[in-house]
Amino acid sequence: MTGDPLFADGVDWGDIGIMGIKVLVAFAALLVATMFMIWFERKLISDMQHRIGPNVAGPWGLLQAFADGVKFFFKEDLRPANADPLVFRLAPYISAVTAFVAFAIVPIGGVFTDTPGRSGTVTLFGKETILQVADPPVGILLLLAMSSVAVYGVMLAGWSSGSKYPLIGSVRASAQAISYEAALGMSVVAVVITAGTLSTHEIVRAQAGGVNEWLLITTGFVPFLVFLISATAELNRPPFDLVEAEQELVGGFHTEYSSIRFALFFLAEFMNVITMSAIMVTLFFGGTAGPVFFGLTWLWPTVWFLAKVLAFLFVFVWFRATLPRLRYDQLMSLGWKVLIPVMLFWLMFLGLRQLVVDQGWSTLQEVVVVLGLSAAGLALGWSLLAAALRAAKRNTDTEGLGDHDPEDLMPAGASPDAAGPGEDG
Amino acid sequence: MVEVVVFAVAGAACLVGAVGVVLSRNPVHAALMLVMTLFGIAVLFVALQAHFIAAVQVIVYAGAIVVLFLFVIMLLGVDRAAELSLGALPAQRWTAAAFGFGGAAVLVWLVAAVDRIFKGAHSYELERAGIVVTEADAPATSYATDVSAIARSLFSDYVYAFELTSLLLIVAVIGTVILARRSYGADGRRAGQHGGESAPAESGATPQEARQ
């Protein structure tokens, strides 16, 4: 039984009030968290670069983000003469709204158990409810829907600016987002196959039995790694931040934006980092799972959740401080030629394993079916890919490539005989 | 009450979007209006408890297909307001209007007829048709049923059609790749684009220059 128990017995004004409070709290908390994320990132990256970072506004520069926010409000709102007035105004709001909506499906608290019946609920004003804004039946698909709609914000911002650099930045950004959405979606599918549900609430509950039931482990690490990489690319975070490669593109798709409209893009970007971290915790790290000690039992899950999210925020900043930016062709070949084939193979593997579990076969049968068929699929896909690459090489040899080097058509470092796994055949 | 409000808002969004697609002079605006219509339809799907279809509607149609439209519009440089007053075929408009209103009339008549039957105003018609409306016909309110129901029929009754569709899509993708990377061989002229990924970003500047 999924869905919010709040609405199980009809809807009255009290339910609507609780819903309103939840929406407001989520909105405000996310906004404040975003402010502190900006501070956190700047402070942490200065630490890693042996600088001091923001230290003027407030203690340890804590109020820097607020000061910047106020500044943005009072700056002049510029609009290029060439811009498309309507779309230019619309684009920042699409970015900001999608960033907010995706957070709605994240359970941020509640003690989950893996026993049948309702769990993970808290009691607010005498009514039982869940600590997430919404638990729609499509669950995690909402994340994919929002991330595909978020492409519009970037794309329209670049186009409507009526200027070259934003357009190039936005075409890069949309191509990147669309490419990595496939890998992202497939790693979500891995989670859904293993957990057997789309609802984020139920996904967290499927991981309630302890660390060895976390989907990180039960899906076998690979989906998590693919999710982390594709999420970084979806977020346009370093090392995948070609969208705003300052040296080439000025500021990327938001070059022409100023004042509060720029602030909205800025906000959406950092908010998406928080949302993606929260989604990663929900999907792979047990969400709110963690030992409950003394006292306030309802508080501990939220504490664990926040701690895990903070760890991922740290990881994203760490990426930025450590990794150099990828070239555009490296970015595309990583997405299409590595992540997607790996995920296709892994989905086949997980699907076979789930088949064995559903059918209740014995361990011997499990080993034979899962390993045998996986190996067969891998061999088939690999030989097809090798044959295709060999044919391509033969064609280039006979027809000639002009000034192009044949190796350039291969993925970086791959020869026709050493292609990565692939079983799209 | 809630259903009526949801239907009114979503229906209005659909209609405004649909009219906007036809009336917008700028192709990009028309594409955005199409997105609005698709969103309205998604909300209507949710109201009908078809949650999965609603999500897929947004992911596939709004998230992929219209984005592709926009890519094509922007990269082909047709993103300027088109001059529509110089229509080549004047008769086309009248024909289109006639067909449009005719279709709308048929639709209204059909809806009215079905509504009249199911309202029970002529329950004998239902009986004659052998339709018995019971509580069991009411849509199941338990969640996730639509996902499992779709999965069941997709992978049992319609599994061949489903697999053949995926085969068709793969053939289409391979055909597109072959056409896009075609080489012209011995005459030294080669049209196949090296590093096709970076090509859109570079050619993207051209339509914008044309626009300025």
Side-chain angles (χ1 to χ4, degrees), chain B residues 72-144:
Chain B
V72 172
I73 291 169
M74 289 178 191
L75 294 182
L76 288 186
V78 289
D79 53 349
R80 280 153 294 171
E83 189 50 69
L84 294 176
S85 55
L86 300 169
L89 291 170
Q92 204 176 16
R93 289 191 176 187
W94 296 109
T95 329
F99 271 104
F101 282 112
V106 170
L107 204 62
V108 167
W109 177 73
L110 273 176
V111 169
V114 171
D115 189 54
R116 194 165 48 91
I117 291 172
F118 278 88
K119 274 274 170 62
H122 298 280
S123 55
Y124 61 90
E125 289 179 38
L126 275 180
E127 277 169 29
R128 201 166 44 190
I131 300 172
V132 183
V133 181
T134 62
E135 281 295 306
D137 291 337
T141 45
S142 102
Y143 287 135

Side-chain angles (χ1 to χ4, degrees), chain A residues 2 82 84 152 159 167 399, chain B residues 29 62 79 143 181 183 204 212:
Chain A
T2 62
N82 248 336
D84 185 311
Y152 282 102
W159 174 79
L167 184 71
E399 292 172 5
Chain B
H29 292 176
D79 53 349
Y143 287 135
R181 297 183 76 100
S183 58
Q212 281 164 1

Side-chain angles (χ1 to χ4, degrees), chain A residues 1-4 82-84 86-87 90 135 137-138 141 144-146 148-149 151-152 155-156 159-164 167-168 171-172 174-175 178 181 198 328-329 332 337 399-401 404 408-409 424, chain B residues 26 28-29 32 35 39 51-52 55-56 58-59 61-64 66-67 70-71 74-75 79 143-144 146-147 170 181 183-186 190 192-195 197-198 200-201 204-205 207-209 211-212:
Chain A
M1 179 67 196
T2 62
D4 198 333
N82 248 336
D84 185 311
L86 193 70
V87 182
L90 179 72
D135 183 22
V138 293
L141 288 185
L144 298 180
M146 283 306 122
S148 55
V149 173
V151 173
Y152 282 102
M155 196 173 189
L156 295 175
W159 174 79
S160 66
S161 294
S163 161
K164 287 189 199 73
L167 184 71
I168 297 175
V171 170
R172 275 188 188 184
S174 351
I178 292 167
E181 228 168 65
L198 287 169
Y328 198 74
D329 59 326
M332 282 298 172
K337 294 175 182 168
E399 292 172 5
L401 254 186
H404 296 308
D408 277 356
L409 291 175
D424 36 351
Chain B
N26 188 324
V28 173
H29 292 176
L32 290 180
V35 175
F39 263 98
H51 299 274
F52 184 73
V56 169
V58 172
I59 294 172
Y61 282 91
V66 182
V67 168
L70 281 176
F71 257 111
M74 289 178 191
L75 294 182
D79 53 349
Y143 287 135
D146 66 321
V147 179
I170 286 185
R181 297 183 76 100
S183 58
Y184 285 91
R190 184 182 155 80
Q193 292 198 338
H194 165 60
E197 304 89 11
S198 59
Q208 204 68 17
E209 280 170 319
R211 203 164 84 95
Q212 281 164 1

